[in-house]
Amino acid sequence: MRPTVHDIAAEAGVSLATVDRVLNNRPGVRSVTRERVEQAIATLGYVRDVAAANLAKSRSYPLVFILPAGENSFMRGLEAEVRSAMSRSATERLDITILSVPAFDAPALAAALLDARERRPAGVAVVAVDAPDVTEAVKRLRDDGIAVVTLVSDLPGSGRDHFAGVDNVAAGRTAGSLMGRFLGGGEGPVAVLAGSMLVRDHRDRLEGFQAVMSGDFASRRILPVIEGQDDPSLVETLVDALLGQHPDLAGIYSLGAGNRGLVAALEKAGKGRAVCTIAHELTPHSRAGLLSGTIDALLNQNAGHEVRSAIRVLKAKADGLPVIAAQERIRIDIFLKDNLPLEQE
Amino acid sequence: MRPTVHDIAAEAGVSLATVDRVLNNRPGVRSVTRERVEQAIATLGYVRDVAAANLAKSRSYPLVFILPAGENSFMRGLEAEVRSAMSRSATERLDITILSVPAFDAPALAAALLDARERRPAGVAVVAVDAPDVTEAVKRLRDDGIAVVTLVSDLPGSGRDHFAGVDNVAAGRTAGSLMGRFLGGGEGPVAVLAGSMLVRDHRDRLEGFQAVMSGDFASRRILPVIEGQDDPSLVETLVDALLGQHPDLAGIYSLGAGNRGLVAALEKAGKGRAVCTIAHELTPHSRAGLLSGTIDALLNQNAGHEVRSAIRVLKAKADGLPVIAAQERIRIDIFLKDNLPLEQE
DNA sequence: GAATTTTTGACGTACGTAAATCAGAAATCT
DNA sequence: AGATTTCTGATTTACGTACGTCAAAAATTC
């Protein structure tokens, strides 16, 4: 049987109250006594029963998630994951509020952060837009002792506690490697399609992609970046024009959202197979594109993992516990049509 | 405040005991009363507090893991994951025993299964070898009401409750797609290196690989399968011979273990870059091969996910609860040198 | 050595559920 | 109607920890 506080009390020859004081770092224990108790904990190999502890504490963690509004399938999937976490709030003692703000809108995001602050939560998770007033708002939250985790897109220099998302430079590099190898030795330029250079994740992906292309596949010409605002219809218009201008286009790297428009434009022009297309995020549209052969490879960040990691980190920070960085690292998934997970996941 | 059993009792106008009988499917409740209680549960939105329930039950799950012995890095990593789960046994109420058997040895495995049976565990997880006496042993475990999960390599037809591993046919297909695309239009044959055709996972990978190669890249010649018994030194000898026999070799698909020998042979022959190499499982050796450029792509199954999934399923089966299949699906990771996770993970 | 402060012990209640016991009520059978 | 079986209620104890109160003991200061 595993040892309990009672066993420690017996082993150390002290009372339960003293054991409790030591375990929870409460004052009023002489250092010699404290050491005796710690010795007993060590020899018995006592591990606190978290379930019982939480039950006794009946602690709860009020958290706020700030997510961009709009049709972006990835973001809606992210929201679904947050709601799924809310449904588990019973067992995990969470009390989650979701705030919705327009995408790429720094003032609105800053306002939402201050709104979140008013609610005095234990922590806030936010999909960041890289702007000074957002950075400032995050700092004010931290000054109030509220833990802040950036989600999907980071905000370095804001003093956020943690970033729950993938290494986007590495993602861009991976896209570059795949593009270069898939294209082989042929001719024709490669286009890059982003959402907006206002968000850090898109800038990082671009940086990684360009680094690999100019390093390992230097002969390949890269066209200037196109910004589609993650809007399917705008993306479609832009890609229509692109295909018209560059009939010899060899590849497209879509590092943002709005892939529905991209797939539509390519298929309309009959170029689904001819152009090597690498995109981000597994959504119903990008899945269809991959299965039809229009998209050749998909890089993905698992929204569920990110949300769960953000919650774990916020809870840990709220309790003043350390975060195991390695455990919270989010992987970059690569999907081809052959290793696509089934729909219902 | 979230509702408790007391609230339900009050709402339904019954006693705590009756609520408990309904919640735990115990007999002794008239169907009309049962319905009243269920109605109250629904209207109040009651969710059982698992922490408190487990605390009260002080239930524990004795499980047995049967793993192959030997130097195979992936299997050692798998064992490390099981041990890490054991260290969490405190909080998850697990009581895990590990049995070790020689690799690819069906009689030894069957004996180990019967040994496990003697221990009367709630469940057994086993890395299966596909042989009649193993199938038979699994059936006997099931007849005794012991849940059985196959791990990494499946055993269809044995009546096992679940398979915790990747879709190895899809993994083979993915390897085929990557191989075909990376090679482009050049000449030269492709070799396939397996561990043993006695295990299902290797057979499945081969099937998937051959299907894609003969379908999408039909002009490419595939050499007969080489069996290296997952043994680095044997693999090295075999690959030495292979490279001698086929100076124009374009690619190698290594679908088993022993990649240390493969990398050594390729680098010795100065063919690290020239031969497109796709292998399985991220280990210290395969990681080094990927970083040096000798291995071009790595397919991986996350041992930690598999072990945790196996445990979840065994617990659920032991409690007679349903398993959410989608949640237990293990993904096939693709790693290039650009998206390799850091060492410490 | 008396007064003061600090440390420790003893004890109780709470968290939400499980599970057992015993007694009484209701339904079913003969 | 009486006997039997089946349901239901009331109550208690337990799981392992948190946390508070109060009093006693020990250490420290003067």
Side-chain angles (χ1 to χ4, degrees), chain B residues 182-195:
Chain B
F182 281 2
L183 289 181
E187 291 289 307
V190 170
V192 179
L193 182 64

Side-chain angles (χ1 to χ4, degrees), chain B residues 14-15 18 21 28-30 33 55-56:
Chain B
V14 299
S15 77
T18 304
R21 288 179 188 118
V29 186
R30 252 186 313 171
T33 316
L55 181 59

Side-chain angles (χ1 to χ4, degrees), chain A residues 207-269:
Chain A
E207 177 191 328
F209 184 76
Q210 288 179 332
V212 168
M213 292 307 286
S214 65
D216 297 354
F217 309 97
S219 65
R220 184 71 59 179
R221 185 168 143 236
I222 308 294
L223 300 175
V225 179
I226 303 170
E227 290 186 52
Q229 305 300 325
D230 286 359
D231 172 4
S233 51
L234 176 56
V235 167
E236 186 167 352
T237 312
L238 292 171
V239 176
D240 282 343
L242 175 73
L243 292 172
Q245 261 188 302
H246 299 277
D248 63 336
L249 192 75
I252 297 184
Y253 174 38
S254 167
L255 57 78
N259 288 320
R260 206 179 344 159
L262 170 63
V263 170
L266 282 166
E267 294 186 347
K268 200 166 50 188

Side-chain angles (χ1 to χ4, degrees), chain A residues 105-107 109-110 128-137 154-155 158 198 203:
Chain A
D105 184 339
L109 181 54
V129 175
D130 200 350
D133 41 351
V134 176
T135 304
E136 201 48 48
D154 198 9
L155 194 56
S158 64
L198 285 180
R203 289 216 305 274

